[in-house]
Amino acid sequence: MNLLSNQLTMRRFCSSGLALHSSEVLITLRRWRPRVKKNLGTATTLLLFLPLLIATAFISSLWNSDTSNFSVHNISRNKTLIIVSRKPQNRPQKRITTPLNCVKNQTQTCPTNYPKTSQTQKSISDYSIPPTSTCPDYFRWIHEDLSPWKVTGITRDMLERANQSAHFRLILVNNKVYIHKYKQSIQTRDVFTIWGILQLLRKYPGRLPDLELMFDCDDRPVIRSRDYSGPNNKGPPPLFRYSGDRWTMDIVFPDWSFWGWAEINIKPWDSLLRELKEGNNGRNWVDREPYAYWKGNPFVAETRRDLLTCNLSDKHDWNARLYVQDWILESKQGFQQSNLASQCAHRYKIYIEGYAWSVSEKYILACDSMTLLVKPYFHDFFIRYLQPLRHYWPIRDKDKCKSIKFAVDWGNTHKQKAQEIGRAASNFIQEELKMEYVYDYMFHLLNEYAKLLKFKPVAPDGAVEVCSETMACTANGSHKKFMMESLVKGPSITSPCTLPPPYEPKVLGAFYRRKLNAILQVQKWEDRYWESLKKQ
């Protein structure tokens, strides 16, 4: 019997299969040419199986490709049937920018056309968005800082009691920010803190829930744990600030200087971090001065005045080179001698607290120098994660001079290890404290805080709506310069990192023991060092 003989040819043009990328199925129908007589059953089977193959190709592409497009070309005798399935390639997501809408000769108001959602929400299935990464481990302290309210939540009464020392109240309702100021902060700490929160909303619009908080811009924490330890206490008031300590329950938040410290010409963190990295690359550790360096204001705390006794003198060389920072003179001279990126010229740098925690901490740790960290009593939001002998060298606060001299002598004798400690700290600052993570820390802290609220946030009488326009458009001088420099240009094309879970009590206990054991080990080395010198 004269029958058509069918030859099926299938080609797949993809690196990992039909279902993953573009594919082409070519089915060529050729005119029958007499060759060898075929079995009738075989020919019939082929004719019946051909439509099934075509249907299978269609279904396979459709099932595995969410956004496939199909087209059919030239189906006729002696022609080729081409079924094409195309999937969008992994092209970079186009970033949306939201420029400031400043108006002239009119009262500046907040625009109504801000993005209501982030780009990640609108493009959740876009393959150009990388998988969400896990946040650095210091994010775990968010759970610790909010633990006093884990059981009870935060009531309206608790919040209102926090205004006794707060500088301002911040209310977020429907992605709009309202501020009620109670008193003036030191310099413009409150201004740049509020500015930072507004930039967070530009980065992740529509991602933060309604919330209401109190913020204290002073240095020392004030919510003492012992005042709320009894069975009949009303619960501690939730108060945000820049630092905490082991005896208080203030909620630690990134400080204002991440968006610039205009009064002393310290640039926003993004810009300064790049300059610090360039400064590190410009001078090898071994070529730096083999001493411990510190420059700052000694008049804010007794411990800093005591540090000055370790300076080079006719009687002693404690391996320390210490300098007094005169900010008044610096401002008159245009801050020519206070460029932080140029202060990484020594193998060792000293960090010492002032009236409380000091903003200088992150700048010192970023220097590639081995940080000599005088025993601290306060902490910011990230320092609790760092470990002695891994990220810094611990210095006694009661006998600083001997402790500093031993540290420098040890480092100059163990150069490779000293370099590793300095590099571990600067790598942490560059990689895990970059501005993206600062924003993500704020994002998770505020989200977790909002979950604890037992009341509906509302803007009270006297509160004023603020936005980037009302702050930056009316600013002048270095304030405006730093705001424009730190302005978030538009919604993020990636999601925030994933918040890690809280520490298990055993894990946190082991963490503290490792830290304490490392400090005790250094003190033993130090004691042996000075005992051996006495015997000489």
Side-chain angles (χ1 to χ4, degrees):
M1 181 182 290
N2 294 337
L3 296 172
L4 286 176
S5 173
N6 298 279
Q7 180 181 4
L8 173 65
T9 306
M10 300 180 68
R11 300 176 192 167
R12 301 185 177 193
F13 297 93
C14 59
S15 59
S16 56
L18 175 64
L20 298 180
H21 298 288
S22 298
S23 65
E24 292 187 359
V25 181
L26 283 78
I27 304 171
T28 305
L29 301 176
R30 296 185 180 177
R31 182 173 302 186
W32 171 77
R33 294 175 184 173
R35 288 186 181 177
V36 181
K37 185 175 181 180
K38 302 292 185 181
N39 181 277
L40 177 61
T42 302
T44 304
T45 301
L46 286 174
L47 282 173
L48 293 174
F49 192 58
L50 176 59
L52 179 62
L53 284 175
I54 297 174
T56 301
F58 269 100
I59 294 171
S60 177
S61 296
L62 185 59
W63 180 265
N64 291 285
S65 179
D66 295 333
T67 55
S68 298
N69 297 313
F70 297 95
S71 60
V72 181
H73 305 282
N74 293 335
I75 179 167
S76 63
R77 178 172 287 186
N78 291 330
K79 297 295 184 179
T80 301
L81 169 64
I82 304 176
I83 305 170
V84 182
S85 169
R86 291 190 179 90
K87 185 170 185 176
Q89 298 299 311
N90 293 351
R91 296 169 182 165
Q93 177 80 0
K94 184 178 180 181
R95 186 182 295 273
I96 298 174
T97 58
T98 311
L100 289 184
N101 184 18
C102 297
V103 297
K104 294 182 179 180
N105 303 321
Q106 297 181 36
T107 301
Q108 184 66 55
T109 58
C110 294
T112 59
N113 60 344
Y114 270 154
K116 296 297 189 295
T117 58
S118 66
Q119 285 183 262
T120 52
Q121 286 174 298
K122 292 188 292 183
S123 307
I124 196 67
S125 62
D126 194 304
Y127 286 84
S128 67
I129 299 174
T132 302
S133 62
T134 301
C135 305
D137 258 12
Y138 66 86
F139 280 56
R140 293 178 186 269
W141 263 272
I142 290 175
H143 306 291
E144 300 299 317
D145 288 347
L146 296 177
S147 62
W149 302 275
K150 182 178 179 180
V151 175
T152 63
I154 297 172
T155 65
R156 169 65 70 181
D157 174 70
M158 291 178 183
L159 180 74
E160 295 303 329
R161 284 188 281 114
N163 72 0
Q164 296 178 13
S165 65
H167 287 86
F168 65 86
R169 180 198 301 256
L170 183 143
I171 310 99
L172 174 62
V173 178
N174 296 327
N175 214 40
K176 293 183 179 181
V177 175
Y178 300 87
I179 297 294
H180 189 180
K181 293 189 69 171
Y182 296 113
K183 56 185 177 181
Q184 182 61 43
S185 72
I186 299 172
Q187 297 177 335
T188 50
R189 291 184 179 189
D190 57 345
V191 171
F192 279 90
T193 301
I194 295 168
W195 173 259
I197 296 174
L198 292 175
Q199 301 320 296
L200 173 66
L201 295 177
R202 286 174 65 88
K203 185 176 180 67
Y204 298 125
R207 299 291 296 272
L208 282 171
D210 290 357
L211 59 86
E212 194 170 340
L213 62 83
M214 299 283 189
F215 208 107
D216 186 336
C217 299
D218 286 340
D219 291 324
R220 290 187 174 181
V222 296
I223 309 300
R224 298 179 301 184
S225 301
R226 67 185 184 187
D227 294 339
Y228 304 95
S229 59
N232 298 320
N233 74 83
K234 297 180 180 180
L239 184 63
F240 285 74
R241 71 177 335 104
Y242 308 121
S243 70
D245 62 30
R246 59 185 295 188
W247 301 281
T248 57
M249 294 185 287
D250 300 59
I251 303 171
V252 183
F253 195 82
D255 71 86
W256 75 96
S257 67
F258 282 98
W259 298 273
W261 191 348
E263 287 80 7
I264 59 175
N265 200 43
I266 292 181
K267 298 178 181 179
W269 185 232
D270 249 349
S271 302
L272 186 54
L273 198 57
R274 288 192 295 270
E275 292 183 5
L276 287 165
K277 186 174 184 178
E278 292 171 1
N280 289 341
N281 294 336
R283 191 166 190 176
N284 292 329
W285 187 90
V286 292
D287 298 328
R288 300 182 183 190
E289 296 292 327
Y291 303 106
Y293 173 90
W294 180 81
K295 186 175 185 179
N297 180 4
F299 307 112
V300 295
E302 178 61 33
T303 186
R304 287 191 174 186
R305 290 191 288 274
D306 180 56
L307 175 65
L308 290 182
T309 63
C310 305
N311 216 347
L312 178 65
S313 67
D314 296 336
K315 296 181 179 180
H316 296 286
D317 185 356
W318 299 109
N319 291 335
R321 301 296 183 262
L322 313 174
Y323 304 88
V324 174
Q325 178 73 71
D326 186 340
W327 286 113
I328 297 177
L329 179 61
E330 275 296 292
S331 63
K332 291 179 179 179
Q333 296 178 347
F335 301 98
Q336 297 179 8
Q337 303 300 319
S338 57
N339 181 10
L340 294 174
S342 65
Q343 294 182 17
C344 297
H346 293 72
R347 293 180 182 176
Y348 314 93
K349 292 199 69 174
I350 299 170
Y351 170 74
I352 185 170
E353 294 177 335
Y355 182 67
W357 139 94
S358 174
V359 166
S360 64
E361 181 183 64
K362 57 183 175 289
Y363 310 130
I364 291 171
L365 288 165
C367 251
D368 254 5
S369 307
M370 187 172 82
T371 298
L372 309 186
L373 195 147
V374 179
K375 182 181 177 179
Y377 293 90
F378 302 92
H379 59 255
D380 58 16
F381 72 101
F382 69 85
I383 192 65
R384 288 170 283 185
Y385 166 74
L386 303 188
Q387 285 278 7
L389 295 184
R390 180 184 172 192
H391 300 101
Y392 64 88
W393 185 277
I395 298 294
R396 285 171 164 159
D397 61 330
K398 300 300 182 183
D399 201 352
K400 300 179 184 70
C401 300
K402 286 185 175 181
S403 196
I404 290 171
K405 178 171 175 55
F406 170 71
V408 173
D409 284 346
W410 183 92
N412 288 335
T413 304
H414 303 81
K415 293 183 177 66
Q416 182 176 347
K417 182 60 179 176
Q419 289 181 70
E420 290 174 358
I421 294 173
R423 192 173 299 114
S426 61
N427 286 344
F428 167 81
I429 296 295
Q430 289 286 343
E431 298 301 324
E432 300 189 44
L433 198 65
K434 54 189 176 182
M435 206 61 209
E436 288 84 353
Y437 282 137
V438 176
Y439 281 123
D440 284 3
Y441 190 94
M442 297 162 59
F443 175 85
H444 286 300
L445 175 58
L446 294 179
N447 263 292
E448 296 301 310
Y449 169 82
K451 293 176 184 177
L452 298 170
L453 299 183
K454 298 296 184 180
F455 58 90
K456 181 177 177 60
V458 293
D461 294 339
V464 178
E465 183 183 359
V466 295
C467 57
S468 297
E469 279 78 4
T470 60
M471 296 191 75
C473 295
T474 58
N476 296 298
S478 57
H479 296 85
K480 186 180 186 71
K481 175 185 175 183
F482 287 167
M483 285 181 179
M484 297 307 297
E485 191 173 326
S486 60
L487 177 73
V488 170
K489 302 303 186 291
S492 174
I493 61 172
T494 58
S495 294
C497 60
T498 301
L499 179 65
Y503 282 113
E504 295 290 338
K506 290 183 179 180
V507 175
L508 188 58
F511 176 87
Y512 283 129
R513 285 193 297 273
R514 284 197 304 273
K515 180 173 285 193
L516 178 60
N517 289 338
I519 293 173
L520 293 175
Q521 179 63 67
V522 170
Q523 291 178 353
K524 287 181 181 179
W525 292 341
E526 187 179 320
D527 291 341
R528 290 178 194 156
Y529 173 82
W530 289 107
E531 288 173 6
S532 66
L533 289 181
K534 288 180 181 179
K535 295 178 181 179
Q536 294 179 1

